[in-house]
């Protein structure tokens, strides 16, 4: 079956981020979205450790370790960008000032519940960081993930079995096989990758997915 | 005359006792007050409760305090990282207690303490393991969790410049928790790269007003460990 690779997934997410948006990209896979933002749109990236107007990575040797992103990688600040403390940063998030947040996930439910911080394993050391604040704070939360686990299980599920990060917070899921809308009315296929049908996705997820697309 | 300057880090932390609660600024190593923590390690203080975003990175700063077995409990959002080996070892050995707090709730609870609020209702964490057993309320159709302020006996923070009244400006993303921790501790100790005369900091751009800072210690960057 045809699948998008991770760069193609990032490019697909980037296409849906509009001119003028304030955006937070979660650590890990979503960070790639920054590489594909259309050059003709002014989009401001927020990093929850205290900067707005984040620029690309500096040239090797130019790193300033007091200028980092949430993943603790060296970054730069665009002209017009600014710094602020953690209280203000999470007010931007929790107060609904950020338009879009893109996060990775272990599982998302058809209602938009998100599980992405903890496997619940007895020997795992839990770490949550800003995940719970990001999930519920932005006006829209997008998830970017492969649809299936390495074992072939769907990560889009009827109900999450991993510990929740937030309830009903996700609106869209961008995967390697298609794009889904989720929420109070359940899950719907918005778009499929070339060569993948809505029925294929119903089979892979074992979910009664709605869709306005031709089957 | 008000003069909050201390001549060295050891003198600035000399009254931190066993069992103290200590906020430590920094996000990873950005804003980590390494020299103040080194001075604390030199005092052999035990059973400290630390409030910080992480649980130590690499082998310096908070990681060194954990490695030396001085920390009884840590309140943080993101302990587990590629370079949190000292915390991981202590945690798996049962030598350190962890209270995990979502990052925005950590900030808001610290701010609540600094602002004199009795508690806050926060939407973050509602319906998750981290809100288990906590009081909740629905306000205007949104669900919230009751969380209490986090205050501390001391805050150790790092800023760029300060004056003898304790006014501070910070450096880039090394600002992070510094300004809000300064407000939430009984005694805030700031290590700064440079002391400047009163009036040298533009009053329009002072980030932390001196009223929130009790002690400053100048540790020029050339002398800081990162350059040593």
């Amino acid at each position: 079956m045809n699948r998008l690779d991770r760069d193609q997934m990032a490019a697909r997410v980037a296409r849906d981020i509009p001119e003028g948006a304030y955006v937070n990209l979660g650590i890990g896979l979503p960070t790639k979205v920054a590489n594909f933002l259309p050059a003709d749109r002014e989009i401001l990236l927020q990093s929850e450790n205290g900067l707005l107007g984040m620029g690309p990575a500096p040239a090797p040797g130019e790193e300033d370790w007091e200028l980092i992103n949430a993943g603790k990688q060296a970054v730069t600040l665009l002209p017009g960008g600014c710094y602020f403390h953690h209280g203000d940063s999470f007010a931007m998030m929790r107060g609904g000032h950020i338009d879009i947040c893109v996060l990775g996930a272990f599982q998302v439910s058809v209602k938009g519940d998100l599980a992405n911080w903890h496997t619940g394993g007895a020997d795992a050391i839990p770490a949550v960081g800003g995940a719970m604040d990001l999930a519920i704070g932005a006006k829209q939360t997008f998830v970017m993930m492969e649809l299936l686990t390495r074992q072939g299980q769907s990560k889009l599920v009827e109900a999450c079995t991993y510990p929740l990060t937030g309830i009903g917070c996700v609106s869209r899921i961008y995967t390697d096989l298609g794009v889904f809308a989720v929420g109070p009315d359940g899950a719907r296929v918005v778009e499929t990758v070339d060569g993948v049908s809505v029925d294929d996705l119903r089979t892979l997820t074992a979910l009664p997915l709605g869709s306005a697309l031709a089957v | 005359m008000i003069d909050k300057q201390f001549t060295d880090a050891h003198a600035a932390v000399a009254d931190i006792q066993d069992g103290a609660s200590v906020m430590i600024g920094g996000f990873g190593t950005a804003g980590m007050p390494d020299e103040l923590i080194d001075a604390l390690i030199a005092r052999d203080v035990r059973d400290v409760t630390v409030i910080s975003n992480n649980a130590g990175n690499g082998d310096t700063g908070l990681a060194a305090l954990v490695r030396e077995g001085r920390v009884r409990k840590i309140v943080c959002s993101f302990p587990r990282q590629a370079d949190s080996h000292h915390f991981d070892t202590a945690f798996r050995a049962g030598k350190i207690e962890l209270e995990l707090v979502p990052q925005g709730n950590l900030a808001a609870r610290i701010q609540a303490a600094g602002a004199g609020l009795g508690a806050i209702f926060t939407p973050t964490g509602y319906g998750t393991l981290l809100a288990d057993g906590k009081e909740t309320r629905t306000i205007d159709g949104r669900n919230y969790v009751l969380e209490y302020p986090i205050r501390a006996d001391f805050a150790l923070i790092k800023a760029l410049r300060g004056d003898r009244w304790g006014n501070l400006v910070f450096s880039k993303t090394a600002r992070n928790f510094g300004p809000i921790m300064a407000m939430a501790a009984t005694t805030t100790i700031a290590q700064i790269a440079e002391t400047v005369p009163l009036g040298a900091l533009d009053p329009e751009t002072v980030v932390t007003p001196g009223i929130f800072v009790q002690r400053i210690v100048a540790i020029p960057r050339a002398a800081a460990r990162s350059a040593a």
Side-chain angles (χ1 to χ4, degrees), chain A residues 64-68 70 72 83 85-87 90 94 117 123 125-130 132-133 136 164-165 167, chain B residues 27-28 30 54 77-81 92 100 103-105 111 123-124 128 142 171-174 176-177 180 221:
Chain A
D64 176 347
W65 295 106
E66 292 192 336
L67 178 43
I68 59 173
K72 303 184 175 76
Y83 305 112
H85 63 62
H86 253 79
F90 281 85
R94 200 191 304 110
W117 72 281
D123 61 339
I125 298 176
V128 65
M132 290 185 179
D133 306 275
I136 59 100
L164 291 180
T165 307
I167 296 176
Chain B
F27 184 90
N54 302 107
S77 85
F78 207 72
R80 185 199 66 230
Q81 295 169 92
R92 292 194 192 286
L100 195 67
Q103 200 170 137
N105 284 357
Q111 287 188 291
T124 302
T128 75
R142 196 176 189 192
S171 174
K172 306 186 179 85
T173 58
N176 57 66
F177 282 90
I180 62 175
R221 281 186 164 166

Side-chain angles (χ1 to χ4, degrees), chain A residues 8-34:
Chain A
Q8 290 169 320
M9 288 166 66
R12 178 63 193 87
V13 175
R15 241 170 62 205
D16 281 1
I17 298 181
E19 161 71 20
Y22 290 95
V23 179
N24 182 295
L25 301 176
I27 60 178
L29 185 55
T31 307
K32 279 183 175 285
V33 174

Side-chain angles (χ1 to χ4, degrees), chain A residues 22-138:
Chain A
Y22 290 95
V23 179
N24 182 295
L25 301 176
I27 60 178
L29 185 55
T31 307
K32 279 183 175 285
V33 174
N35 301 334
F36 297 95
L37 293 173
D40 60 346
R41 294 180 203 165
E42 202 157 57
I43 291 166
L44 284 186
L45 297 180
Q46 192 248 21
S47 189
E48 64 264 30
N49 58 313
L51 74 164
L52 186 62
M54 180 167 64
E62 298 290 308
E63 295 90 353
D64 176 347
W65 295 106
E66 292 192 336
L67 178 43
I68 59 173
N69 64 13
K72 303 184 175 76
Q73 300 159 313
V75 293
T76 53
L77 190 74
L78 300 177
C82 60
Y83 305 112
F84 36 84
H85 63 62
H86 253 79
D88 283 351
S89 182
F90 281 85
M92 283 178 204
M93 185 60 58
R94 200 191 304 110
H97 307 281
I98 301 287
D99 296 302
I100 296 170
C101 178
V102 185
L103 297 172
F106 298 147
Q107 290 176 327
V108 185
S109 82
V110 294
K111 302 280 192 195
D113 297 346
L114 172 66
N116 77 346
W117 72 281
H118 187 25
T119 60
D123 61 339
I125 298 176
V128 65
M132 290 185 179
D133 306 275
L134 295 168
I136 59 100

Side-chain angles (χ1 to χ4, degrees), chain B residues 22-34 36-37 50-54 61-62 154-158 170 174-179 181-182 189:
Chain B
V22 181
M23 291 180 173
I24 296 179
F27 184 90
T29 56
M32 178 65 58
D34 284 336
L36 291 178
I37 295 170
V50 168
I51 299 103
S52 194
N53 186 58
N54 302 107
L62 175 53
F154 294 89
L156 308 182
I157 65 172
K158 182 179 185 180
F170 294 80
R175 181 184 308 192
N176 57 66
F177 282 90
M181 286 180 171
I189 308 168

Side-chain angles (χ1 to χ4, degrees), chain A residues 89-206:
Chain A
S89 182
F90 281 85
M92 283 178 204
M93 185 60 58
R94 200 191 304 110
H97 307 281
I98 301 287
D99 296 302
I100 296 170
C101 178
V102 185
L103 297 172
F106 298 147
Q107 290 176 327
V108 185
S109 82
V110 294
K111 302 280 192 195
D113 297 346
L114 172 66
N116 77 346
W117 72 281
H118 187 25
T119 60
D123 61 339
I125 298 176
V128 65
M132 290 185 179
D133 306 275
L134 295 168
I136 59 100
K139 287 178 191 156
Q140 293 186 81
T141 297
F142 294 169
V143 158
M144 182 179 168
M145 66 181 191
E146 273 96 16
L147 182 61
L148 305 177
T149 65
R150 290 203 182 99
Q151 292 74 37
Q153 289 166 315
S154 177
K155 293 158 78 174
L156 173 58
V157 293
E158 186 63 37
C160 296
T161 54
Y162 286 124
L164 291 180
T165 307
I167 296 176
C169 52
V170 178
S171 57
R172 280 205 171 219
I173 310 171
Y174 294 84
T175 76
D176 49 343
L177 294 169
V179 179
F180 302 84
V182 291
D185 301 326
R188 182 165 57 82
V189 180
V190 175
E191 183 180 299
T192 63
V193 167
D194 281 347
V196 177
S197 71
V198 172
D199 273 342
D200 289 338
L201 297 177
R202 287 179 178 139
T203 303
L204 289 170
T205 59

